[in-house]
């Protein structure tokens, strides 16, 4: 955190750190990520109990009433522990969409259950030919009777395998890349016509490719306004990305601290290798990246609370996302290099942080994508 | 981009290329292109063809079964091998490191004993150098070789031994004396990996692979006849081996092959511009890389270029090949990861798994690419970190 935390932030940060220290050391992480589900259900229950699942949700929706900076502090600690779970995909990303979906009793119900740790929700938006363009939706939603029939393909849907519900972006009109004509739907994962191919990810998480083959939903399945789902979705992506970038800051911080410790302990040529100038300069570079990434994320969080145009807020978030992408990769690679041979091992946490940072960079648009968005938003031109 | 050097040897290059295109088994080429392991039997069948042609041991003198090729001919040969998809694979160490060592430092008896099985490709070698506390400071190594009659008795451990489990023999350096400077108490031994007292434990790497190991020695008896050179000469011999590493010219050709693969992938990946090749930003990054690789190939050519066949090598000057070559190799795997978009996230089982009836998680071209990116982090570390290599250049070349 670039400036002093508030008392509350310190308390929250400490309790998350304590949770990680007592329940999620690296050995435990390996066991957990290699288990069948990839996460520990009892951790989930504890998160619900602590209210952490409600971190990103407004008070009137049952959340903790945290500011964006507060939530960044919490998520940063989870990143520092490389905590691998549906927390971001369900509590943050899906939670954001559900809580902003307007008057939908079913959605509100599911949100409450999700905050209580009873169900999980995944957002199915990315399609195989879309790369990172949010509006490149080919999944179709055709009106049928009083409801809709959904058909299409989504890939890399995080933690869909343990989710009871899916939020799906589908096209009710227009052609691919049109921002108009996109509608958000709430779909029961076990509906007829939904099939999942689930797999592990490189960073120890779980994801699925999903085929929707004539999946029937009724009109209550629409989240927000029909045909106008894009704006709600894009705003939710912005907010979710901010917290994803916050997680990356935690990972970068852990890589920095662990590498510094190692350099001070490891002796070659009769002294700690931290005494060699080349090591010192590389470590200083890592430190600079850490400070830059951290400051950019907290600045983006702070700017969200200001009375400035939305495009500027979005621009700050894209800047933060791009920055953690660059810094994350650089720091991940340097940490391995500075550890030498041991940096290549599975047993050391270092490689696992690096893999998480690559996955974060690749989610909701990589650094290049966000650099482009940063560029486009400069002239206040619309959208991505 | 193909550079045209050694036009006087154009006929030779064509001959090599024709031979490879006619004789390289499709399975070998295919598996090499896809970054997959090649099993011993398949390698053996390919290797036999090289032996038949007399091209298996290109650098060796003819009296030992070698082709007696000049430096330049070897360079051209290796370029063609890599660009045609013909890897040396695990056998390369026998040829490029062990055999030259035996030829230079071995007794006649050792040459007769070790060279034939290297030549026929039946022996796999691994290297026992690094130890847990002796990485960059290799001379501080502690694994002991104590003389006991007509044997040395080895106690201690070696680490980062690539392919130790698959290897028949190890060439390693061990401590025979603590009396003088550390370098002076080091001796090179060849060890039969079937010896009793050897325990090999695989070390899992960050992408899930198991090519490296830790080897434990408990009272392992090694006949004195397996000592190469004199006691205390091991350090000098290991430095001699470093000069042979300049024959890692295949690095450039391998990186070129990876670049061509990347171009194919980028033509298949879609983006809002059409394909990723149509994306001006990605295209620029890709071609900038190709330019840098072309420039590096030129560097390599001029460093190795030996028009008067003096056969002298400035090993320190060659170091830049390792430094830049490893960085470029990493860069192409990085760009390939970038090209995959979301498909960099899933864990693909090794490309082998795609040959069974598993459901494809994504495009075939994505399989194994992430693993390769993570595994390639080692190139700037193994063989001496790039930081150490830069010290060598600063001291040995620039006199700083």
């Amino acid at each position: 955190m670039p400036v002093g935390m508030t008392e509350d932030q310190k308390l929250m940060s400490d309790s998350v750190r304590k949770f990680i220290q007592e329940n999620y050391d690296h050995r435990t992480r390996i066991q957990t990520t290699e288990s069948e589900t990839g996460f520990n259900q009892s951790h989930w229950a504890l998160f619900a109990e602590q209210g952490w699942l409600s971190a990103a949700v407004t008070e009137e929706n049952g959340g903790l009433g945290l500011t964006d900076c507060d939530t960044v502090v919490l998520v940063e600690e989870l990143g520092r522990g490389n905590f691998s779970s549906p927390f971001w995909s369900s509590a943050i990303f899906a939670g954001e969409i559900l809580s902003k979906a307007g008057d939908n009793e079913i959605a509100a119900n599911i949100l409450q259950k999700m905050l209580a740790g009873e169900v999980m929700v995944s957002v199915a938006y990315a399609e195989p030919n879309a790369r990172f363009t949010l509006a490149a939706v080919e999944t179709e939603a055709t009106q049928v009777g009083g409801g809709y029939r959904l058909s299409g393909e989504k890939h890399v849907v995080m933690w869909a395998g343990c989710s009871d519900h899916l939020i799906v972006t589908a096209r009710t009109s227009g052609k691919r890349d049109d921002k108009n004509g996109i509608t958000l739907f709430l779909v029961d994962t076990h509906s007829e016509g939904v099939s999942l191919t689930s797999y592990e990810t490189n960073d120890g998480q779980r994801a699925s490719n999903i085929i929707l083959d004539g999946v029937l939903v009724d009109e209550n399945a629409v989240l927000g306004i029909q045909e106008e789902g894009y704006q709600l979705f894009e705003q939710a992506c912005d907010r979710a990305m901010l917290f994803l970038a916050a997680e990356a800051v935690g990972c970068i911080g852990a890589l920095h601290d662990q590498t510094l410790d190692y350099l001070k302990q490891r002796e070659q040529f009769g002294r700690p290798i931290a005494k060699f100038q080349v090591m010192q300069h590389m470590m200083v570079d890592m430190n600079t990246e850490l400070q830059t990434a951290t400051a950019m994320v907290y600045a983006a969080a702070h700017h969200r609370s200001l009375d400035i145009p939305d495009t500027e807020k979005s621009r700050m978030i894209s800047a933060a996302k791009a920055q953690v992408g660059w810094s994350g990769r650089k720091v991940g690679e340097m940490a391995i290099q500075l550890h030498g041979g041991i940096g290549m091992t599975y047993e050391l946490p270092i490689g696992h942080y690096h893999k998480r940072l690559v996955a974060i960079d690749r989610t909701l648009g990589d650094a290049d994508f966000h650099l482009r968005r940063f560029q486009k938003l400069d002239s206040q031109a619309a959208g991505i | 981009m193909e550079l045209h050097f050694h036009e006087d040897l154009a006929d030779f290059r064509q001959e090599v290329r024709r031979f490879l295109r006619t004789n390289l088994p499709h399975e070998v080429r295919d598996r090499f292109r896809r970054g997959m392991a090649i099993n011993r039997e398949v390698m053996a069948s390919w290797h036999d063809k090289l032996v038949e042609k007399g091209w298996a041991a290109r650098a060796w003198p003819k009296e030992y079964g070698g082709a007696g090729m000049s430096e330049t001919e070897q360079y051209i040969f290796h370029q063609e091998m890599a660009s045609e998809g013909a890897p040396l694979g695990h056998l390369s160490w026998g040829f490029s490191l062990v055999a030259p060592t035996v030829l230079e430092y071995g007794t006649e008896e050792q040459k007769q004993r070790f060279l034939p099985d290297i030549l026929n490709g039946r022996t796999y070698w691994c290297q026992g150098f690094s130890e847990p506390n002796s990485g960059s400071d290799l001379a501080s190594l502690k694994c002991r070789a104590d003389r006991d009659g007509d044997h040395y008795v080895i106690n201690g451990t070696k680490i980062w031994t690539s392919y130790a489990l698959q290897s028949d023999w190890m060439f390693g350096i061990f401590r025979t004396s603590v009396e003088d400077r550390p370098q002076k108490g080091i001796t090179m031994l060849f060890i039969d990996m079937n010896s009793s007292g050897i325990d090999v434990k695989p070390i899992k790497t960050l992408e899930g692979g198991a090519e490296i190991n830790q080897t434990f020695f408990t009272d392992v008896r090694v006949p004195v006849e397996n000592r190469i050179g004199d006691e205390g000469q091991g350090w000098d011999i290991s430095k001699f081996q470093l000069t042979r590493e300049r024959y890692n010219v295949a690095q450039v050709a391998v990186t070129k092959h990876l670049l061509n693969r990347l171009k194919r992938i980028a033509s298949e990946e879609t983006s809002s511009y059409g394909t990723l090749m149509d994306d001006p930003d990605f295209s620029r990054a890709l071609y900038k890389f190709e330019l840098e690789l072309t420039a590096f190939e030129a560097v390599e050519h001029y460093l190795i270029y030996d028009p008067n066949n003096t056969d002298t090598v400035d090993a320190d000057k060659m170091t830049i090949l390792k430094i830049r070559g490893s960085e470029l190799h990493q860069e192409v795997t990085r760009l390939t990861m970038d090209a995959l978009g979301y498909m960099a996230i899933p864990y693909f089982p090794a490309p082998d798994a795609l040959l069974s009836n598993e459901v494809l998680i994504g495009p075939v071209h994505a399989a194994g690419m992430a693993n390769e990116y993570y595994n390639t982090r080692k190139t700037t570390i193994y063989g001496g970190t790039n930081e150490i290599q830069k010290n060598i250049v600063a001291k040995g070349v620039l006199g700083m």
Side-chain angles (χ1 to χ4, degrees):
Chain A
M1 175 115 199
V3 292
M5 288 190 210
T6 65
E7 266 309 307
D8 286 341
Q9 285 171 349
K10 186 115 200 350
L11 273 170
M12 189 169 56
S13 174
D14 285 348
S15 54
V16 178
R17 193 176 290 217
K18 186 156 171 273
F19 163 78
I20 296 284
Q21 275 165 358
E22 290 173 5
N23 297 285
Y24 208 73
D25 64 13
H26 184 58
R27 189 132 295 162
T28 309
R29 181 180 188 273
I30 289 180
Q31 278 165 13
T32 309
T33 55
E34 288 179 1
S35 71
E36 169 109 29
T37 55
F39 75 105
N40 188 329
Q41 188 61 41
S42 68
H43 291 164
W44 203 248
L46 197 144
F47 272 41
E49 209 182 307
Q50 294 279 354
W52 294 340
L53 293 181
S54 319
V57 170
T58 58
E59 249 180 313
E60 54 266 25
N61 276 307
L64 295 179
L66 301 180
T67 64
D68 284 348
C69 281
D70 293 338
T71 309
V72 165
V73 167
L74 188 159
V75 180
E76 184 187 339
E77 274 314 304
L78 290 176
R80 195 182 308 279
N82 205 358
F83 186 72
S84 174
S85 77
F87 182 77
W88 178 82
S89 58
S90 187
I92 302 249
F93 194 17
E96 177 68 13
I97 296 173
L98 289 173
S99 62
K100 300 275 161 68
D103 261 326
N104 185 321
E105 217 177 284
I106 299 176
N109 207 302
I110 290 174
L111 176 62
Q112 291 316 307
K113 285 209 184 123
M114 202 253 291
L115 299 182
E118 290 164 28
V119 299
M120 291 198 210
V121 186
S122 289
V123 187
Y125 61 97
E127 299 187 359
N129 295 321
R131 205 162 171 84
F132 298 116
T133 307
L134 294 179
V137 173
E138 285 179 299
T139 299
E140 275 177 2
T142 17
Q143 279 192 299
V144 158
Y148 302 85
R149 181 171 54 229
L150 303 173
S151 284
E153 212 182 316
K154 299 288 185 187
H155 73 171
V156 199
V157 183
M158 296 309 296
W159 298 99
C162 58
S163 289
D164 309 273
H165 305 278
L166 303 169
I167 297 170
V168 177
T169 53
R171 190 166 283 293
T172 34
S173 72
K175 41 185 208 330
R176 204 196 97 133
D177 294 349
D178 285 348
K179 290 186 185 135
N180 292 323
I182 292 176
T183 307
L184 298 175
F185 290 94
L186 194 50
V187 177
D188 190 321
T189 316
H190 303 292
S191 305
E192 197 173 318
V194 178
S195 56
L196 268 61
T197 303
S198 302
Y199 44 83
E200 287 177 43
T201 62
N202 285 313
D203 56 329
Q205 305 214 7
R206 298 291 187 278
S208 310
N209 294 348
I210 300 181
I211 299 198
L212 303 158
D213 187 12
V215 180
L216 293 172
V217 297
D218 65 29
E219 71 261 15
N220 294 318
V222 173
L223 295 170
I225 306 167
Q226 192 201 328
E227 296 276 281
E228 290 173 32
Y230 184 77
Q231 199 185 25
L232 161 59
F233 184 60
E234 191 191 15
Q235 284 172 356
C237 286
D238 261 4
R239 192 152 187 264
M241 267 194 302
L242 174 63
F243 300 132
L244 198 55
E247 187 186 339
V249 166
C251 294
I252 293 171
L255 282 174
H256 172 277
D257 295 348
Q258 289 175 22
T259 304
L260 183 55
D261 275 344
Y262 178 76
L263 294 179
K264 289 178 177 175
Q265 282 168 34
R266 170 76 170 170
E267 292 195 13
Q268 289 285 270
F269 305 104
R271 75 207 85 156
I273 60 178
K275 294 297 178 195
F276 290 100
Q277 196 174 64
V278 169
M279 303 287 103
Q280 291 173 353
H281 286 198
M282 287 171 78
M283 197 61 233
V284 168
D285 284 346
M286 280 180 78
N287 185 269
T288 308
E289 293 293 335
L290 171 61
Q291 288 194 57
T292 307
T294 307
M296 192 59 235
V297 169
Y298 279 92
H302 168 69
H303 279 64
R304 263 186 63 90
S305 65
L306 302 180
D307 186 19
I308 56 177
D310 280 347
T311 49
E312 269 192 56
K313 297 184 188 188
S314 294
R315 204 160 176 244
M316 284 293 280
I317 290 178
S318 273
K321 185 71 172 47
Q323 185 64 57
V324 302
W326 292 325
S327 297
R329 179 118 75 171
K330 194 165 175 194
V331 168
E333 292 182 355
M334 283 177 82
I336 294 172
Q337 182 68 17
L338 285 167
H339 275 78
I342 205 168
M344 288 301 300
T345 64
Y346 190 83
E347 206 185 303
L348 209 71
I350 299 291
H352 298 267
Y353 281 101
H354 180 39
K355 291 191 283 181
R356 179 64 191 137
L357 284 164
V358 170
I360 288 175
D361 177 49
R362 213 44 61 92
T363 305
L364 286 173
D366 61 8
D368 284 338
F369 177 84
H370 281 284
L371 172 57
R372 193 168 283 152
R373 189 177 184 230
F374 180 78
Q375 193 181 2
K376 283 187 194 164
L377 287 172
D378 186 37
S379 54
Q380 305 248 351
I384 298 169
Chain B
M1 161 126 220
E2 196 173 327
L3 293 180
H4 298 277
F5 289 121
H6 307 297
E7 293 299 287
D8 54 319
L9 286 168
D11 286 346
F12 173 70
R13 185 187 289 278
Q14 286 309 317
E15 192 192 347
V16 173
R17 200 174 280 184
R18 254 193 325 267
F19 170 80
L20 291 171
R21 287 194 181 159
T22 319
N23 291 283
L24 180 64
H26 174 74
E27 186 182 349
V28 172
R29 178 184 288 115
D30 187 52
R31 291 184 82 97
F32 176 67
R33 290 242 155 99
R34 304 223 253 140
M36 291 158 72
I38 298 170
N39 81 24
R40 225 160 146 150
E41 285 71 45
V42 173
M43 263 315 273
S45 72
W46 159 234
H47 188 79
D48 285 346
K49 300 221 171 106
L50 283 169
V51 172
E52 207 180 294
K53 180 76 178 169
W55 278 354
R58 296 165 282 284
W60 302 6
K62 289 195 167 133
E63 68 186 284
Y64 292 104
M69 282 187 196
S70 71
E71 298 285 329
T72 311
E73 285 169 333
Q74 288 171 56
Y75 172 62
I76 289 172
F77 194 95
H78 286 131
Q79 278 188 325
E80 291 303 313
M81 285 270 280
S83 69
E84 285 299 316
L88 291 169
H90 191 193
L91 286 175
S92 63
W93 282 354
F95 282 93
S96 66
L97 292 180
V98 180
T101 304
V102 173
L103 285 165
E104 182 73 23
Y105 292 97
T107 62
E108 194 54 43
E109 182 270 331
Q110 286 169 333
K111 288 172 191 171
Q112 295 303 330
R113 190 151 47 102
F114 290 110
L115 293 180
D117 277 337
I118 293 175
L119 178 61
N120 66 24
R122 293 307 185 260
T123 316
Y124 282 66
W125 288 79
C126 63
Q127 182 192 59
F129 279 22
S130 297
E131 297 180 7
N133 288 319
S134 301
S136 294
D137 188 7
L138 186 58
S140 69
L141 66 89
K142 293 195 160 40
C143 189
R144 295 191 63 93
D146 297 317
R147 187 71 182 257
D148 177 31
D150 50 9
H151 282 81
Y152 286 99
V153 182
I154 317 268
N155 278 290
T157 180
K158 292 292 181 187
I159 200 170
W160 317 134
T161 352
S162 298
Y163 302 113
L165 277 177
Q166 293 83 3
S167 294
D168 308 296
W169 282 79
M170 170 187 281
F171 63 101
I173 45 179
F174 302 90
R175 183 154 299 288
T176 41
S177 166
V178 295
E179 278 171 29
D180 205 325
R181 280 193 310 126
Q183 287 85 344
K184 291 203 160 167
I186 293 173
T187 302
M188 179 166 286
L189 298 172
F190 286 178
I191 302 176
D192 184 341
M193 290 299 279
N194 281 320
S195 307
S196 95
I198 298 184
D199 186 22
V200 177
K201 286 201 158 55
I203 297 173
K204 195 167 173 184
T205 43
L206 66 126
E207 86 291 357
E211 80 200 44
I212 56 174
N213 304 273
Q214 184 161 5
T215 308
F216 298 90
F217 300 89
T218 312
D219 296 331
V220 178
R221 300 186 71 80
V222 179
V224 169
E225 298 83 69
N226 290 4
R227 185 189 73 224
I228 296 294
D230 297 326
E231 248 184 55
Q233 207 183 5
W235 187 250
D236 287 340
I237 299 176
S238 69
K239 276 165 66 175
F240 163 80
Q241 288 187 333
L242 284 174
T243 73
R244 309 311 299 178
E245 276 192 63
R246 79 185 189 277
Y247 288 118
N248 203 13
V249 297
Q251 189 93 297
V252 169
V254 167
T255 306
K256 263 191 191 170
H257 145 71
L258 296 182
L259 173 61
N260 288 333
R261 183 182 65 187
L262 172 58
K263 286 181 179 175
R264 277 197 307 276
I265 290 174
S267 310
E268 289 164 20
E269 283 284 332
T270 52
S271 77
S272 48
Y273 289 90
T275 70
L276 201 53
M277 279 298 257
D278 300 321
D279 179 327
D281 292 340
F282 190 85
S283 178
R284 183 175 194 272
L286 191 152
Y287 283 105
K288 179 163 187 280
F289 175 79
E290 182 171 355
L291 195 157
E292 289 176 351
L293 184 61
T294 305
F296 178 64
E297 190 183 355
V299 168
E300 180 190 64
H301 162 74
Y302 286 109
L303 274 176
I304 289 177
Y305 191 42
D306 186 23
N308 302 316
N309 275 318
T310 61
D311 203 27
T312 53
V313 176
D314 187 339
D316 289 345
K317 277 192 176 161
M318 297 297 166
T319 310
I320 191 181
L321 294 180
K322 201 264 176 182
I323 296 168
R324 262 318 262 157
S326 57
E327 288 173 356
L328 288 167
H329 186 183
Q330 288 182 338
E331 179 64 18
V332 73
T333 63
R334 199 182 285 124
L335 285 169
T336 307
M337 275 287 268
D338 286 347
L340 297 181
Y342 271 103
M343 275 295 137
I345 293 177
Y347 173 64
F348 277 80
D352 291 76
L354 286 173
L355 292 180
S356 66
N357 289 326
E358 285 194 21
V359 178
L360 281 183
I361 296 167
V364 173
H365 67 233
M369 296 299 99
N371 295 350
E372 209 174 291
Y373 164 72
Y374 292 116
N375 188 260
T376 305
R377 304 317 310 155
K378 71 189 178 197
T379 63
T380 47
I381 297 173
Y382 68 21
T385 64
N386 278 15
E387 288 73 39
I388 294 286
Q389 307 287 358
K390 286 181 185 176
N391 287 352
I392 292 171
V393 176
K395 202 166 148 191
V397 179
L398 303 176
M400 297 176 82

